Amino acid sequence: MNVEKKAHSNCRRSLVYIAAKSQPEMVRRLDELGWNTFIAENLRQANDICCNQNISVGLIEISDPEMAAKFLPQLVDVVESDLNWIALISPLQLQYSETLHTISQFCYDFVTTPIPFDRLAVTIGRAHGMRMLVKKKNEIDYAASAQFGIIGSSNAIKTVRHNIATFAASDAPVLIVGETGTGKELAASAIHALSRRGKSPLVAVNCGALQASLIQSELFGYEKGAFTGADRRVIGKLEAANTGTIFLDEIGELPSEQQVNLLRVLQEHRVQRVGGHAEVKLDLRVIAATNADLEQAVQDGRFREDLYYRLNVLLLSLPPLRDRIEDIEILAHYTFKTYFHERIKNVRDFSQDALTAMRLHTWPGNVRELINRVRRALITCGRPLIGVDDLGLGSPIVNGAARSLNDARSRAEYELACQILRQTGGNVSEAARRLNVTRATLYRLIRKYDINPGAAVLH
């Protein structure tokens, strides 16, 4: 590998320069400005450098349109997913629309040759500054989103965190509703931890996982001799949660007979063990959760109306992942960092195509599905960047096969822009915020794909 570098110091910044030959004069000039410059002859060498150095900016020489079309789309996937690249091109290249289009898609900026070094120095400085700004923003978002363990920066998840903090100040029952995998148990744990009962037990019961014949003894406990095999007194889950919180997951699966018994406990704050006569006073908070439509279950006679209203004093609704697309990348990177120690190969990050595919996926299993896919990819991926196939998501193309990688990206851009615009009712400002792009960038996509923001369909 032809690598030229200057000695590192803590205050020096580093960049990678993909060039066909050694560039001693460029290295010298950049060194005077405080840059460690690494020269790479190809993408593989550039990737090796990025794996071992803290690179913030990339330079790449573009000698012809074919090179632009071939190498620039690979930069974000092969080298660094969030590196700011600056193309160095001859003025002749400016007459090729394909080259200009590719540079506008995959590069932060460009400089024409012969290189005006003063301008290049300013451009590199800005590229580095923007990367540091984005990195700092991501760190702030990451720290804020991790509050209570409820990850995300969308308005929907901010509302969830606000409601968790509000509900924690009360002792009233909470009903948490949401699809499977949206984090109902995590929300219940957060409410308990923030409440005055936070140092007392949190006892979880999955009502859907218990055999109907065992639910009463599990919830209420039993005395010795209450039934065959009852050779000792056993404290039930409700009694075990005394002074703390009982979390009743999948409450909609509770049989009718036990619904009556639970309602009595909630009304009288007392529990009687199976086979016993004495009643035990209870001081506990009840948090229930369900992925079922309890109102419909009440109408169908499958769930007691009085119990439903007893549980549904405070309602916490958890949004599905498909309704908070802007949180997907934050969740993916949070999971990546959480399970990073499990990786086998030198996996560093997600490719841009993988991030796009995750945004387009409907996530029927919600956050739990995302965690499982990312964790599996960390273990099985043999490349520096996790790809679409490593996540098991398939091609991000929705309608028809793509003729090239550029076609795939274009189709993914179009589908995602339409999806977010539909969700925001055509509100461009809100859509741009959710997509984490500027309004100018979104307007560029709208013009590029002839999208009607209101209808989010092609004219």
Side-chain angles (χ1 to χ4, degrees):
M1 181 189 303
N2 176 23
V3 177
E4 302 178 21
K5 68 175 182 177
K6 296 294 179 180
H8 284 271
S9 69
N10 291 333
C11 62
R12 293 175 67 85
R13 301 161 295 177
S14 298
L15 64 82
V16 61
Y17 181 12
I18 302 178
K21 59 183 180 180
S22 177
Q23 299 288 341
E25 179 60 20
M26 177 73 81
V27 172
R28 185 188 68 79
R29 297 287 297 274
L30 290 170
D31 176 68
E32 292 173 353
L33 293 175
W35 287 93
N36 292 307
T37 303
F38 297 82
I39 304 295
E41 297 177 356
N42 51 51
L43 292 176
R44 181 185 61 79
Q45 291 182 1
N47 177 63
D48 291 341
I49 291 169
C50 289
C51 284
N52 295 293
Q53 308 295 334
N54 184 22
I55 304 295
S56 61
V57 180
L59 302 178
I60 181 169
E61 291 183 352
I62 303 296
S63 57
D64 56 68
E66 184 177 347
M67 181 181 179
K70 179 180 179 181
F71 286 106
L72 288 182
Q74 297 180 51
L75 287 177
V76 293
D77 290 331
V78 178
V79 183
E80 269 290 324
S81 61
D82 60 349
L83 212 61
N84 281 333
W85 286 93
I86 299 168
L88 308 179
I89 65 173
S90 70
L92 184 63
Q93 298 296 316
L94 297 178
Q95 66 180 312
Y96 298 106
S97 61
E98 183 178 357
T99 300
L100 299 181
H101 173 72
T102 308
I103 288 175
S104 69
Q105 277 194 300
F106 302 106
C107 293
Y108 172 81
D109 206 342
F110 72 95
V111 175
T112 57
T113 57
I115 297 172
F117 191 79
D118 290 344
R119 183 192 166 192
L120 178 63
V122 171
T123 303
I124 292 174
R126 287 176 176 170
H128 169 78
M130 285 303 297
R131 186 173 190 264
M132 294 301 101
L133 186 66
V134 171
K135 183 178 180 181
K136 182 65 176 177
K137 174 186 176 296
N138 290 340
E139 289 173 353
I140 293 172
D141 287 347
Y142 183 85
S145 72
Q147 189 183 19
F148 315 137
I150 311 295
I151 307 302
S153 61
S154 64
N155 286 337
I157 215 66
K158 287 177 181 177
T159 299
V160 169
R161 285 198 291 266
H162 172 77
N163 288 339
I164 285 174
T166 301
F167 295 173
S170 169
D171 252 0
V174 179
L175 178 62
I176 304 174
V177 298
E179 297 178 5
T180 298
T182 50
K184 294 186 288 295
E185 185 168 0
L186 190 63
S189 298
I191 293 172
H192 170 75
L194 292 170
S195 73
R196 68 177 181 85
R197 301 176 182 270
K199 294 183 179 180
S200 297
L202 169 65
V203 178
V205 181
N206 188 329
C207 301
L210 295 175
Q211 296 182 25
S213 59
L214 299 178
I215 290 179
Q216 184 169 358
S217 58
E218 283 286 329
L219 286 178
F220 303 100
Y222 54 85
E223 298 285 355
K224 180 179 179 180
F227 49 81
T228 303
D231 56 356
R232 58 190 174 87
R233 171 187 285 179
V234 172
I235 300 300
K237 300 292 187 182
L238 288 163
E239 194 173 345
N242 205 10
T243 73
T245 303
I246 184 79
F247 174 53
L248 302 172
D249 199 7
E250 296 189 33
I251 189 66
E253 301 298 319
L254 196 65
S256 298
E257 180 182 351
Q258 302 311 323
Q259 291 178 29
V260 175
N261 293 334
L262 178 60
L263 178 63
R264 177 174 171 272
V265 170
L266 297 181
Q267 289 173 334
E268 300 180 6
H269 304 287
R270 297 174 183 272
V271 64
Q272 182 176 315
R273 304 185 193 103
V274 177
H277 300 288
E279 291 187 328
V280 180
K281 292 185 65 176
L282 295 179
D283 171 26
L284 53 76
R285 183 181 198 174
V286 177
I287 300 178
T290 181
N291 59 11
D293 185 344
L294 284 191
E295 288 190 357
Q296 186 62 49
V298 168
Q299 293 179 17
D300 295 342
R302 293 179 286 108
F303 199 84
R304 292 184 63 94
E305 183 176 26
D306 46 5
L307 178 59
Y308 171 69
Y309 287 114
R310 176 70 65 170
L311 294 172
N312 188 17
V313 177
L314 299 173
L315 180 66
L316 180 65
S317 181
L318 300 183
L321 190 53
R322 63 180 175 275
D323 286 349
R324 51 187 187 107
I325 293 175
E326 59 268 47
D327 290 337
I328 290 174
E329 187 169 340
I330 296 174
L331 280 162
H333 282 106
Y334 180 87
T335 305
F336 185 96
K337 292 179 180 178
T338 301
Y339 295 101
F340 187 74
H341 64 281
E342 294 185 351
R343 69 174 184 159
I344 297 175
K345 300 293 180 63
N346 187 29
V347 182
R348 291 196 334 269
D349 205 341
F350 298 94
S351 71
Q352 285 299 319
D353 281 348
L355 293 174
T356 298
M358 283 193 282
R359 292 188 194 101
L360 290 172
H361 186 56
T362 57
W363 299 106
N366 292 292
V367 178
R368 187 178 299 146
E369 178 189 353
L370 183 145
I371 292 172
N372 289 344
R373 288 185 182 275
V374 172
R375 190 176 180 184
R376 180 171 62 246
L378 263 172
I379 297 171
T380 61
C381 179
R383 301 181 298 272
L385 299 181
I386 291 174
V388 176
D389 54 336
D390 298 310
L391 294 165
L393 294 178
S395 171
I397 306 308
V398 178
N399 297 318
R403 295 186 302 274
S404 68
L405 186 58
N406 283 338
D407 289 342
R409 284 199 174 91
S410 295
R411 189 69 200 180
E413 278 184 341
Y414 165 71
E415 293 290 344
L416 185 58
C418 288
Q419 183 178 355
I420 298 298
L421 284 166
R422 280 195 297 270
Q423 291 180 2
T424 61
N427 186 320
V428 175
S429 296
E430 175 64 15
R433 190 194 64 77
R434 290 196 184 190
L435 288 166
N436 197 25
V437 299
T438 64
R439 290 179 62 193
T441 298
L442 183 53
Y443 275 121
R444 178 179 63 80
L445 293 176
I446 289 171
R447 290 192 299 270
K448 177 180 178 181
Y449 299 118
D450 195 19
I451 298 173
N452 180 341
V457 295
L458 285 175
H459 289 157

